[in-house]
Amino acid sequence: MSDAVIRIMDLSKSYATSAGLFPALKNVSLTINRGEFVAIMGPSGSGKSTFMNILGCLDAPTGGQYQLNNRQVSELGRDELALLRNQTIGFVFQGFNLLQRMTLLDNVALPLIYAGVEHAERSQRAHELLTRVGLADKANSLPNQISGGQQQRVAIARALINRPRLLLADEPTGNLDSHTGVEIMALFSELNLEGITIVLVTHEADIASHAKRQVRFYDGSIISDHATAQELQP
Amino acid sequence: MTLAMLGEAWRAMGANRMRTILTMLGMVIGVAAVVLMMSIGQGAQYAIKQSISAMGSNLFILLSGSTQTSGVRTGSGGALTLTVNDAAAIAELPGVQAVAPINPGDAQVVYGPANWNTAIIGTTPAYLDVRAWQIVSGAAFTASDVRSATRVALIGQTAAQNLFGDENPLGKTIRIKQSPFIILGILASKGQGMDGRDQDDTIIIPLTTAQRSVFGIRFPGTVRMIMVQSTGLEVMPEVEAAMTGLLRQRHRIRENADNDFSLRNLTAVANSAEESTRIMSMLLGAIASVSLLVGGIGIMNIMLVSVTERTREIGIRMAIGARERDILLQFLLEAIIISVAGCLIGLLIGVGGALLTEALTGTLVIISGSSVLVAFGVAATVGIFFGFYPARKAARMDPIEALRYQ
């Protein structure tokens, strides 16, 4: 039993375009251990978002291997992938991706419906998490009635509802002003201290500096992988 | 789980209230049409059945004179070729239950200051058995009344109403063509006949009396028609053949000559009338079903639009762990709720429309449990059938493609 949560070997992904196959990822290998806080950086088009979608079991690679908790993800069927997304992985999007028609409480509780949790427990757990992200008083508001930073907090609460040990975030601060971004990053750091493995994609260096490890993508490949400088200077 | 899904479906439908209502309207119209058409059709079928059983069952009617002779044709009853003795001979045939020779006609009937022109039927007591006609008060005349040509009469409800008003006709004397008749009994109401004539506008008197005192027939013993009732439906073909053979022999008709009488199987006529009503009501139902189908296609159309519109939502749901069957169920439930709700409203409107039709036009309608059940079953099936394709389209989406959809 290894300590690796994510083990990527020789992973590649290409898209069919009118100009032929476009390689978004070229033979990427990476291992992320339990409890790590990793920032994946790189300019747009470097393949970091594609990489994240594959990590989140939303997209499938065209080559190589992806092991999540020592399971070969490529061998799993659609329902098993759905189960992974529901129970094992929490995913936070740049655009929040809340359902606009539902109250914040229902949005946070939604993954529990697919997990088959009863109504009373659903709302209780959703309340707990909304309290945790400081939005308990807005439980019955709709997403368009709150600010972007608050929406992202709700999205994080939703990602955490099934108590995953792995949290993936794709540009979570991309739509937020820098002050709110720092708040969100503080929340991530807090969660990481509680033992949740966090991988987030960003192109902003100061956001990435909250992470303990920085992986840099360029043109579909990893060009650097090192611990964050601040950590080296205690 | 399913309860939560129902709540979600409800919310989604509420978000597009106008569209949901319009989609439902397709089902409402379809179901209402099916229920209404089937109710009217079954009512018509029942009315036909009623008039058949009012006519009497397993009946033949023999008419004097030929309808098939070449040259000048006198029409049925033009020449009185049938006789009372023919009737007596037919009564001896196997499979024959009752035989009633009849001389029909009409005459002016007078009671006190009132007078009324009504149908007069000269016949034997067997006529009441053949027509399955009850007497509500008083008694029928007997065979001895026929033998001695007594002046007695049975009176139908309409004739009684017109001659006597509220007075009790029993034992009163009426005059038919100057001859006095005593009312012996009052006939039960029979309503309209197959030809739409009021069967209760009738007075029945003994055959012999009719011939002597009312119609003045030139050849006593001849009759215009004979009604024959067989013992059952299955023996009717044999009875028909036997009667034809017997009458041809009795009338000494040569081998190649046409019959000098005509024979009609009233049950066959009635059955074909019933059959055509049945086909008619099936046809109405089929046409109404087309609107149900159109309603179903409407549901499919809207569900497809809804699935496309909500592609991003489907992507989000998949990203947080919805399986294929969760998405399938969600959209299928919406389609089923729309069709079942539409069906319930349609049932109410259909039943209401049927009752209104009955109230306004007097047409008999029958709302049977089976037609309601059929309409409901078809609607639910339509919902599932036409909801399935859009729901499956949603469930088969690729999560990342769906998430990228703008």
Side-chain angles (χ1 to χ4, degrees):
Chain A
M1 192 68 184
S2 124
D3 210 28
V5 178
I6 291 169
R7 194 192 301 267
I8 301 282
M9 277 164 290
D10 256 352
L11 196 80
S12 55
K13 171 82 182 177
S14 359
Y15 293 104
T17 63
S18 50
L21 276 187
F22 169 75
L25 290 175
K26 303 168 188 164
N27 304 72
V28 174
S29 295
L30 186 70
T31 301
I32 295 171
N33 290 321
R34 207 168 300 282
E36 279 200 272
F37 188 173
V38 183
I40 292 178
M41 304 180 64
S44 12
S46 60
K48 57 189 193 305
S49 271
T50 304
F51 183 68
M52 205 59 172
N53 289 335
I54 292 172
L55 285 192
C57 299
L58 293 168
D59 206 354
T62 41
Q65 289 189 353
Y66 172 21
Q67 281 181 14
L68 180 64
N69 292 331
N70 294 316
R71 287 176 81 192
Q72 267 310 342
V73 171
S74 53
E75 288 168 4
L76 301 178
R78 280 176 64 110
D79 279 0
E80 287 167 304
L81 290 176
L83 196 68
L84 279 183
R85 293 195 290 267
N86 188 238
Q87 313 265 329
T88 313
I89 304 169
F91 207 106
V92 178
F93 300 89
Q94 178 176 6
F96 324 132
N97 276 344
L98 299 176
L99 293 185
Q100 297 300 319
R101 279 200 306 269
M102 288 188 177
T103 63
L104 303 186
L105 188 76
D106 286 342
N107 261 295
V108 174
L110 192 58
L112 292 178
I113 290 184
Y114 299 123
V117 174
E118 288 307 314
H119 177 77
E121 194 188 337
R122 282 205 304 268
S123 30
Q124 191 219 328
R125 275 166 69 177
H127 256 298
E128 278 171 23
L129 273 163
L130 276 178
T131 310
R132 167 83 208 258
V133 298
L135 289 168
D137 54 327
K138 298 255 197 306
N140 292 316
S141 308
L142 293 173
N144 58 17
Q145 293 166 334
I146 59 173
S147 71
Q150 288 172 323
Q151 288 194 46
Q152 194 59 297
R153 285 169 180 276
V154 174
I156 292 170
R158 181 180 67 186
L160 293 173
I161 191 90
N162 260 326
R163 302 171 184 131
R165 305 310 299 157
L166 174 62
L167 194 59
L168 305 177
D170 188 3
E171 303 258 15
T173 59
N175 287 12
L176 306 176
D177 61 70
S178 56
H179 176 70
T180 320
V182 168
E183 276 177 20
I184 294 291
M185 289 316 294
L187 181 57
F188 278 125
S189 298
E190 211 179 300
L191 292 168
N192 181 241
L193 281 178
E194 289 170 22
I196 298 177
T197 310
I198 295 176
V199 183
L200 68 87
V201 162
T202 181
H203 60 268
E204 295 168 77
D206 51 337
I207 292 295
S209 68
H210 287 83
K212 296 175 190 163
R213 176 180 170 193
Q214 297 185 9
V215 177
R216 195 171 291 271
F217 272 69
Y218 187 78
D219 205 13
S221 305
I222 294 177
I223 53 164
S224 75
D225 182 357
H226 55 78
T228 304
Q230 287 161 333
E231 286 237 326
L232 298 175
Q233 307 161 347
Chain B
M1 171 78 181
T2 324
L3 206 68
M5 291 275 185
L6 273 175
E8 296 222 356
W10 185 252
R11 189 160 26 205
M13 285 160 52
N16 268 310
R17 204 165 294 131
M18 192 62 188
R19 184 201 281 177
T20 308
I21 289 170
L22 286 176
T23 313
M24 222 178 257
L25 197 61
M27 285 312 285
V28 170
I29 292 171
V31 172
V34 168
V35 170
L36 188 61
M37 291 302 160
M38 282 175 87
S39 303
I40 291 173
Q42 281 178 337
Q45 245 175 295
Y46 179 78
I48 293 271
K49 265 202 185 117
Q50 279 298 96
S51 59
I52 289 167
S53 67
M55 189 183 66
S57 50
N58 307 328
L59 282 190
F60 290 104
I61 200 156
L62 281 160
L63 293 168
S64 271
S66 173
T67 54
Q68 290 161 10
T69 39
S70 48
V72 177
R73 289 153 54 164
T74 55
S76 295
L80 297 184
T81 53
L82 293 171
T83 66
V84 176
N85 291 339
D86 285 339
I90 288 168
E92 301 299 316
L93 287 173
V96 171
Q97 178 148 318
V99 177
I102 299 161
N103 261 330
D106 43 47
Q108 206 70 21
V109 182
V110 181
Y111 173 73
N115 74 95
W116 182 247
N117 191 292
T118 186
I120 307 291
I121 295 175
T123 185
T124 61
Y127 181 74
L128 296 179
D129 299 333
V130 169
R131 298 288 319 271
W133 211 336
Q134 309 294 323
I135 289 188
V136 284
S137 68
F141 54 78
T142 61
S144 79
D145 286 321
V146 176
R147 270 196 302 278
S148 50
T150 33
R151 287 182 180 148
V152 290
L154 305 175
I155 190 162
Q157 301 272 340
T158 308
Q161 182 63 39
N162 282 291
L163 285 169
F164 293 95
D166 294 333
E167 216 178 315
N168 184 0
L170 271 188
K172 302 279 163 35
T173 302
I174 52 172
R175 302 181 85 83
I176 307 174
K177 284 208 176 164
Q178 316 310 332
S179 310
F181 284 75
I182 295 168
I183 306 285
L184 269 191
I186 302 167
L187 293 160
S189 176
K190 267 231 185 259
Q192 275 187 359
M194 295 258 290
D195 51 3
R197 216 166 39 189
D198 182 2
Q199 298 180 91
D200 296 326
D201 192 3
T202 302
I203 289 174
I204 300 177
I205 56 176
L207 180 69
T208 44
T209 323
Q211 291 173 330
R212 282 176 212 169
S213 315
V214 181
F215 302 134
I217 283 170
R218 282 165 294 168
F219 310 104
T222 58
V223 292
R224 210 172 277 264
M225 58 200 250
I226 300 175
M227 271 191 166
V228 180
Q229 185 175 36
S230 72
T231 51
L233 195 63
E234 61 288 344
V235 299
M236 290 193 79
E238 289 105 83
V239 172
E240 184 168 350
M243 276 194 302
T244 309
L246 178 76
L247 287 176
R248 286 181 72 89
Q249 191 194 332
R250 286 178 60 86
H251 295 186
R252 300 199 175 79
I253 296 167
R254 271 173 291 129
E255 199 135 319
N256 298 322
D258 292 327
N259 291 338
D260 64 351
F261 57 90
S262 57
L263 174 60
R264 290 181 199 157
N265 183 334
L266 282 190
T267 305
V269 172
N271 285 347
S272 73
E274 193 188 342
E275 178 69 10
S276 61
T277 332
R278 201 176 62 81
I279 288 171
M280 195 54 147
S281 70
M282 273 172 61
L283 196 69
L284 287 175
I287 292 169
S289 304
V290 172
S291 54
L292 211 55
L293 190 74
V294 173
I297 293 170
I299 288 180
M300 176 143 88
N301 192 8
I302 285 305
M303 290 311 295
L304 280 173
V305 171
S306 173
V307 165
T308 308
E309 246 182 28
R310 287 155 70 189
T311 299
R312 196 174 169 79
E313 176 193 329
I314 294 165
I316 295 172
R317 286 173 183 275
M318 285 177 162
I320 60 169
R323 289 155 299 183
E324 270 188 43
R325 62 168 171 274
D326 295 323
I327 303 290
L328 185 85
L329 190 65
Q330 182 190 343
F331 283 93
L332 203 52
L333 267 177
E334 274 186 49
I336 291 172
I337 290 174
I338 289 176
S339 57
V340 168
C343 184
L344 286 175
I345 298 169
L347 277 182
L348 288 180
I349 293 177
V351 168
L355 294 177
L356 199 69
T357 307
E358 189 168 32
L360 291 184
T361 67
T363 317
L364 181 69
V365 300
I366 294 176
I367 301 148
S368 69
S370 68
S371 67
V372 167
L373 220 65
V374 163
F376 200 84
V378 168
T381 314
V382 161
I384 294 172
F385 183 81
F386 288 104
F388 189 77
Y389 173 73
R392 203 190 56 164
K393 192 183 163 200
R396 291 274 174 89
M397 279 182 184
D398 185 43
I400 195 71
E401 295 289 332
L403 273 172
R404 281 190 193 130
Y405 186 86
Q406 288 307 312

